[in-house]
Amino acid sequence: MSLFRERAALSRRAFGRIALAAMVTTAAGAHADSPPAPVFIGVSGPVTGPHAQYGAQWKQGFDLALAKINANGGIDGRPLAYVFEDSQNDPRQTIAIAQKFIADPKIAVEVGDFSSTSSMAASPLYQRGGLVQFGFTNSHPDFTRTGDYMWSNNVPQSEEQPLVARHVVEDLGMQKIAVMYLNTDWGKTSKDLFTAAATDLGAEIVAEEAYLGDEKDFRATLVRVRDAAPDGIMLVSYYNDAALIVRQLRDLGMEQTVFAAGANSPEFVELAGEAGNGVHTAMNFAPMSPRPMVQDFVAAFEAEYGSAPSHFSAMAYDTFNLLAAVMRQYGTGRDDIRDGLGQISGLESVIFPEVSFDPETRRISNPSVTELVVMDGGYVPYSGAGQ
Amino acid sequence: MEFLSSLISMPWLDYSISGLVIGSIYALMAVGLALIFGVANLINFAHGAVFTVGAYIGWTCLVGLGLPLGVTIVAVAAVSGGVGALIEWLAIRPLNRQSRIAPLLATIGVALMLDQIIHIVFSPTPRALPANIPDWRIAVGNGTIGAIDITIFATAVISAAALYAFLFRTKLGMAVRATAQDDDAAKQMGVNINAVNMTVFGIAGALGGIAGLLVGLYYNSIDPNASFQMMLKGMVAIVIGGMANVPGAIGGGLILGLIESWGIGLFGASYRNLFAFVLLLVMLLFRPNGIFARGKERAAEPMTGTFVTQTKAITLPRPLIWVLIGVAVILPMANMPYITQVMTNAYLYGLAALALTLVSGTVGLVSIGHAALVAIGAYASALLTTKGLPVSLGIVIGGAAAALIGTALAYPAFRLRGHYVAIGTLALGEIVALVILNWEGVTNGALGVFAIPPLEIFGLPLYGTKASYWFVLALMLGMAGLQVRLLKSHLGRTWKAIREDTVAAETYGVSSNYYKGLAFGFAGFTAGIAGAVTAHQWSFINYDSFNLLFSVLILTMAILGGLGNVSGAILGAILVAALPEMFRTLAEYRMLFYGAALVILIRFRPQGLLGSG
């Protein structure tokens, strides 16, 4: 019954829905004239272990998407459901889960895993097994290169970083930039692409400082950054690192403009406190976007979970909606989904005004970013100089 | 020259201040660890988890209940002190008469459980921990220090001073010291050693909890995943200050903070932990009693032969072994690829565990850095085969590289014993991972190695689920058979003689370093092969593929099966690989059960399931 396992704090509404779904599935086995069998998505992701927070955010997005999809008739009358297998973001477990999903005929498509280490270890199995591996957090440039069953709607950094660099150099006027980046595949790739684009625009990179993922203390690194005399600071960080850096930066008396690539989560504002004010960031997902689809999502999310959606929840929500759309249009067979992903176009999502994939790279084409500033405990869209 | 000029022009004062700020956090952590080590002769791996418990109790009081800071501190001290005492009562006391490795593993199990409870109760997302602390800051050099920095430093110093006074000026303190020196004698003198131990764990727990609260306030962020890193830094600090030296722990913490900070000033933050662990190794090798020790008080831990529990190993009857092998061979025929894959993983674990059980069980060098050998094998084969070398050759070279590099790296540690070997190898493991991350020219750094060719031998593809299962099974059985043969030869007897009493063995003309080197070489080869095969199976590896957690898992397998016991290592590997899979349906409660299973197994079978060989 792992399928219907929920977080400990279960809302009454969610419980009712789960109970109903459980009854539906049980009934489906018992009677021939009962509702048709659900279509299953297999999710491989961290429920326990050091990355469990991300798995929890995924689930919120998935559940919200399913409620809406199934209220609108599911996939041609069949309800959509998912099986969430805990991988702890451990490659040894993702390959076992891959075998499980590939061998299980009811799984139509796989989603996950979280990091490139754990996802890419399973890619050869999914490729040989002919099951689409849809990685929505996988920014590693090689993720989709294992084969034609690997797809990702994660924004390719090669497209995003030039947009960021333009904003940082032209709008924010940074000319001597110090870059601090998380020393992972995502951080390193993003940093390289950003510095190349910023240099092309005429800015000078005066410092590049890598740091490790479990770092909490940045004071010494910031002394290095300060002595490089930058006029602006670029952070390629997750929101919790970014919050720590920004606080310690202001404590050291550094007043430079800061652009923090990963500071686009509501938690950043809370963790950074006062020091967060005036920090610039950019988001693929902009919760204040006037598009009705975004506003519906944000309202539904807040009503269900009592907090604003994070980037990961929005990605998760989008991913299920996208897969549902593909299955409705092109069928629920494993190869139907692979082919459908290459053909679908013009689909609106909460992150992208229009989703389509480049069939060669199997990644999203032409993403856009929304530029934001943190102000008074929230985000406001960037609106020109003077902020 | 450029380096020299940067050395001179470096703003030393600013780096020193940032070093002292982080150093006082390490010191606060180290005081509790030193106290426990002094009394129980044990590195409490659960101390980091108590730190996290303290942080979250603090959040509950300050943010959840809106209590004032003073009340919060008392509540944090009370609850985390209680947790500390509970750890002693549940996991340490029942293992009092067992080898030291048993309680070490029990604390790891407890740490897993505590971390998971925090995850479940408070969710794994980091939280803000705001408080009304005076917002003044003093300018020092070109930076500033604030009220909370001073509070952390003062708490560390005051608690160490208070503990020192307690240990050397009070009667209970005398009882604590007596217990630390000789618990049997203390008992005969009427000391209730259980009460003493519980008090010490309680005090250490309270300190750890307060540390968690203060650090959370300092960063305005608490995170259930921070505990292990914190514990490691505290451990390095006590090695610098002298393992059981409570005031020394303060010095150790500050020195560690300073060296890290200066190192970052010179080389950058990506190398931070490298300085910490290199410093640790240097200390272990040259000043194992800490820099504050006068002369050679406790040259080496007098624990030859006692680190590993001695029992009679259970020998599996030959027919049973053949039946089990037969079952293993026909298992893939059941056409359950998921089970086949889990067992393939288990056998790869098994290969690594075989290697570890040889060095840790048979020779007595308990290693928590085993992942390094596996990583070297994996990287060697991955890098060579992506450049065109055949896979079969890559695997062999991977094994050889792990054997050579591993033995060379571990060689200086051969003169260490007991806990010092464990800590030293842990440091080695971390150093290898950091070198892989930072040596971009060779290892491709953070991006890892992609497109590693799939398993094949002389053109025969082995990447199918069943084929790779049989290949790995054959490898594991082959290496196990070889190891059994070696153990029965004079080599095996010599290894055991070194484990039982190195001095006596040397007296009989056994060159212990040579034989330890042989053991490491053989083990390195086995572990390297395991790593190489894993790399070809996954097609992608990076510096984090074989991390500290992996080392701990392998050690868990070897201890569960019975240290030194070949069939035990395999049984342990299968259990550790299969248990989390069996608990899969428990979702987020999974690691809780895993931790509990570990603690219970150690509690009732400290010598391992099949007994140590």
Side-chain angles (χ1 to χ4, degrees):
Chain A
M1 287 308 283
S2 67
L3 166 60
F4 298 115
R5 183 156 280 286
E6 271 282 346
R7 296 209 59 73
L10 204 64
S11 73
R12 199 169 294 165
R13 198 139 45 96
F15 182 77
R17 213 172 49 227
I18 290 159
L20 187 71
M23 282 189 295
V24 168
T25 355
T26 327
H31 307 286
D33 56 346
S34 55
V39 180
F40 282 96
I41 297 175
V43 181
S44 164
V47 178
T48 60
H51 299 92
Q53 65 199 76
Y54 302 107
Q57 295 178 20
W58 289 12
K59 265 191 178 163
Q60 296 182 330
F62 292 156
D63 290 338
L64 211 56
L66 281 196
K68 191 171 140 244
I69 292 164
N70 288 332
N72 291 331
I75 311 296
D76 302 331
R78 293 171 67 190
L80 186 64
Y82 69 98
V83 183
F84 200 131
E85 290 287 356
D86 176 23
S87 67
Q88 303 184 317
N89 193 33
D90 169 10
R92 292 158 197 88
Q93 299 186 41
T94 55
I95 58 172
I97 293 168
Q99 297 280 13
K100 205 176 196 174
F101 285 157
I102 293 164
D104 183 348
K106 75 173 196 279
I107 302 289
V109 55
E110 191 269 350
V111 168
D113 206 279
F114 176 68
S115 78
S116 46
T117 328
S118 57
S119 313
M120 287 161 71
S123 296
L125 288 174
Y126 286 118
Q127 178 65 26
R128 286 197 291 271
L131 178 63
V132 166
Q133 181 186 26
F134 196 92
F136 66 95
T137 56
N138 298 95
S139 57
H140 194 291
D142 291 330
F143 171 73
T144 55
R145 283 178 47 196
T146 301
D148 57 350
Y149 284 89
M150 277 74 238
W151 294 78
S152 176
N153 59 350
N154 193 280
V155 178
Q157 293 302 314
S158 54
E159 304 218 17
E160 175 162 345
Q161 288 307 323
L163 300 177
V164 169
R166 191 210 58 79
H167 177 57
V168 164
V169 176
E170 292 182 358
D171 297 343
L172 305 180
M174 295 189 195
Q175 284 304 316
K176 297 170 74 182
I177 305 172
V179 186
M180 285 175 73
Y181 65 98
L182 192 61
N183 200 356
T184 61
D185 52 65
W186 170 75
K188 175 85 168 53
T189 312
S190 307
K191 185 269 296 178
D192 287 345
L193 291 163
F194 171 82
T195 51
T199 316
D200 280 349
L201 291 167
E204 184 192 350
I205 306 296
V206 293
E208 292 181 16
E209 298 291 338
Y211 65 88
L212 301 174
D214 40 28
E215 191 75 277
K216 291 250 181 291
D217 170 67
F218 295 93
R219 290 181 69 126
T221 319
L222 285 167
V223 172
R224 271 172 83 94
V225 169
R226 186 198 68 200
D227 288 355
D231 61 11
I233 294 165
M234 164 80 186
L235 304 179
V236 184
S237 312
Y238 289 155
Y239 68 85
N240 37 351
D241 317 331
L244 290 170
I245 295 175
V246 168
R247 281 176 69 90
Q248 293 173 35
L249 189 116
R250 299 297 184 224
D251 279 355
L252 278 173
M254 295 165 70
E255 304 292 342
Q256 286 92 338
T257 311
V258 176
F259 181 93
N264 48 17
S265 171
E267 282 90 354
F268 170 80
V269 178
E270 200 190 338
L271 291 175
E274 283 283 302
N277 275 333
V279 169
H280 295 265
T281 187
M283 243 189 214
N284 306 119
F285 166 61
M288 70 291 294
S289 158
R291 282 194 289 129
M293 184 173 186
V294 179
Q295 287 315 313
D296 289 351
F297 166 65
V298 174
F301 194 95
E302 280 172 353
E304 183 74 39
Y305 304 109
S307 65
S310 72
H311 184 74
F312 286 108
S313 300
M315 291 294 282
Y317 180 81
D318 256 8
T319 298
F320 268 29
N321 282 327
L322 166 74
L323 291 174
V326 168
M327 287 190 261
R328 279 174 185 155
Q329 278 187 44
Y330 302 96
T332 55
R334 290 178 174 184
D335 286 349
D336 297 340
I337 294 173
R338 179 198 58 180
D339 299 338
L341 281 166
Q343 291 164 27
I344 199 156
S345 69
L347 187 73
E348 188 192 359
S349 85
V350 299
I351 295 178
F352 309 106
E354 227 185 272
V355 178
S356 59
F357 288 86
D358 178 340
E360 288 302 307
T361 59
R362 293 177 292 281
R363 284 191 178 272
I364 289 277
S365 323
N366 301 321
S368 64
V369 294
T370 308
E371 291 128 1
L372 305 168
V373 194
V374 178
M375 244 196 229
D376 305 325
Y379 292 98
V380 293
Y382 175 79
S383 58
Q387 272 188 338
Chain B
M1 273 327 282
E2 202 185 320
F3 180 76
L4 265 184
S5 68
S6 76
L7 203 63
I8 294 161
S9 66
M10 200 168 106
W12 287 95
L13 179 66
D14 293 343
Y15 285 118
S16 304
I17 288 166
S18 60
L20 290 176
V21 169
I22 185 76
S24 45
I25 291 175
Y26 297 157
L28 201 51
M29 209 54 201
V31 170
L33 282 170
L35 187 65
I36 289 178
F37 192 88
V39 179
N41 214 336
L42 166 86
I43 296 169
N44 182 9
F45 274 83
H47 199 62
V50 178
F51 169 94
T52 309
V53 169
Y56 277 87
I57 298 296
W59 183 89
T60 310
C61 294
L62 278 176
V63 181
L65 303 174
L67 298 176
L69 188 59
V71 181
T72 302
I73 291 177
V74 174
V76 166
V79 176
S80 38
V83 172
L86 200 66
I87 292 175
E88 192 277 335
W89 183 69
L90 266 178
I92 310 297
R93 189 179 301 177
L95 299 170
N96 196 18
R97 294 286 149 203
Q98 299 301 336
S99 69
R100 306 265 170 64
I101 194 72
L104 189 84
L105 203 61
T107 60
I108 293 178
V110 170
L112 280 177
M113 289 167 69
L114 283 176
D115 279 351
Q116 199 54 49
I117 290 171
I118 295 283
H119 268 199
I120 293 168
V121 177
F122 293 98
S123 97
T125 313
R127 289 165 189 250
L129 183 56
N132 291 321
I133 304 165
D135 194 24
W136 48 262
R137 305 193 69 84
I138 317 167
V140 184
N142 290 316
T144 62
I145 53 173
I148 185 82
D149 301 328
I150 295 170
T151 312
I152 289 174
F153 183 73
T155 312
V157 173
I158 292 171
S159 58
L163 279 176
Y164 191 78
F166 162 74
L167 287 174
F168 288 91
R169 296 280 181 273
T170 66
K171 201 147 189 212
L172 185 57
M174 196 196 275
V176 171
R177 284 184 295 134
T179 310
Q181 272 181 6
D182 187 336
D183 54 354
D184 281 331
K187 215 173 186 173
Q188 282 169 350
M189 299 306 290
V191 175
N192 181 350
I193 61 165
N194 284 338
V196 164
N197 276 333
M198 202 176 213
T199 311
V200 165
F201 271 80
I203 295 174
L207 272 175
I210 290 176
L213 171 67
L214 289 177
V215 173
L217 289 173
Y218 175 59
Y219 290 126
N220 185 35
S221 162
I222 54 174
D223 176 354
N225 306 312
S227 47
F228 200 65
Q229 269 298 322
M230 259 350 253
M231 203 288 304
L232 282 184
K233 291 299 169 67
M235 192 185 77
V236 179
I238 63 170
V239 172
I240 298 171
M243 298 287 272
N245 184 344
V246 171
I250 300 278
L254 294 180
I255 290 170
L256 176 62
L258 282 173
I259 291 194
E260 279 190 3
S261 190
W262 293 333
I264 289 173
L266 288 173
F267 301 103
S270 213
Y271 296 87
R272 155 170 280 175
N273 288 355
L274 201 59
F275 307 121
F277 290 113
V278 169
L279 182 65
L280 176 81
L281 273 188
V282 171
M283 288 301 302
L284 282 181
L285 293 176
F286 299 107
R287 294 299 299 262
N289 298 313
I291 52 172
F292 303 113
R294 280 173 246 106
K296 286 200 166 186
E297 287 160 21
R298 290 169 51 186
E301 264 182 281
M303 55 194 320
T304 330
T306 59
F307 206 65
V308 177
T309 312
Q310 294 307 302
T311 44
K312 197 165 161 34
I314 299 169
T315 327
L316 297 179
R318 220 160 246 272
L320 179 63
I321 292 182
W322 284 114
V323 169
L324 289 175
I325 292 177
V327 171
V329 169
I330 59 165
L331 182 81
M333 305 299 193
N335 267 331
M336 289 181 293
Y338 163 65
I339 306 281
T340 312
Q341 187 67 54
V342 170
M343 292 314 286
T344 312
N345 292 353
Y347 300 154
L348 281 170
Y349 271 137
L351 269 174
L354 278 174
L356 185 65
T357 212
L358 178 69
V359 289
S360 298
T362 311
V363 191
L365 300 166
V366 171
S367 161
I368 320 185
H370 204 61
L373 295 174
V374 182
I376 292 171
Y379 262 89
S381 186
L383 290 171
L384 291 172
T385 51
T386 45
K387 301 222 164 35
L389 196 78
V391 172
S392 38
L393 217 57
I395 294 175
V396 176
I397 293 179
L404 288 174
I405 301 174
T407 313
L409 283 177
Y411 184 80
F414 285 173
R415 43 192 262 216
L416 303 176
R417 301 207 185 137
H419 275 111
Y420 294 132
V421 183
I423 303 170
T425 47
L426 188 155
L428 274 177
E430 290 297 278
I431 289 171
V432 167
L434 287 167
V435 167
I436 290 175
L437 176 65
N438 285 303
W439 198 9
E440 282 182 16
V442 172
T443 61
N444 209 15
L447 286 177
V449 186
F450 174 67
I452 305 167
L455 271 184
E456 51 108 2
I457 291 238
F458 309 120
L460 177 72
L462 289 174
Y463 49 77
T465 308
K466 288 178 189 172
S468 61
Y469 171 92
W470 280 315
F471 176 64
V472 175
L473 177 67
L475 266 184
M476 182 190 73
L477 291 177
M479 294 313 282
L482 199 57
Q483 195 158 323
V484 170
R485 293 283 303 178
L486 284 179
L487 290 178
K488 283 188 177 148
S489 73
H490 79 283
L491 199 55
R493 286 190 297 279
T494 314
W495 281 336
K496 284 182 191 159
I498 292 170
R499 175 186 72 190
E500 296 304 318
D501 194 333
T502 312
V503 178
E506 292 266 1
T507 325
Y508 273 92
V510 172
S511 160
S512 69
N513 276 355
Y514 172 73
Y515 283 95
K516 283 178 180 174
L518 276 185
F520 248 87
F522 184 76
F525 188 75
T526 314
I529 287 183
V533 172
T534 310
H536 293 292
Q537 193 185 16
W538 293 353
S539 85
F540 173 76
I541 52 169
N542 70 6
Y543 83 103
D544 198 36
S545 298
F546 309 98
N547 52 20
L548 184 57
L549 200 68
F550 180 70
S551 293
V552 172
L553 271 184
I554 302 288
L555 184 62
T556 313
M557 294 167 194
I559 295 172
L560 274 187
L563 272 171
N565 190 320
V566 170
S567 32
I570 295 172
L571 177 68
I574 293 174
L575 278 181
V576 171
L579 272 182
E581 294 294 332
M582 277 154 45
F583 292 149
R584 196 168 269 294
T585 45
L586 300 168
E588 61 256 58
Y589 297 95
R590 189 170 161 211
M591 289 322 276
L592 194 60
F593 277 80
Y594 180 67
L598 201 62
V599 172
I600 291 167
L601 276 170
I602 289 294
R603 166 71 180 81
F604 293 104
R605 198 81 192 145
Q607 70 274 42
L609 292 170
L610 296 186
S612 45

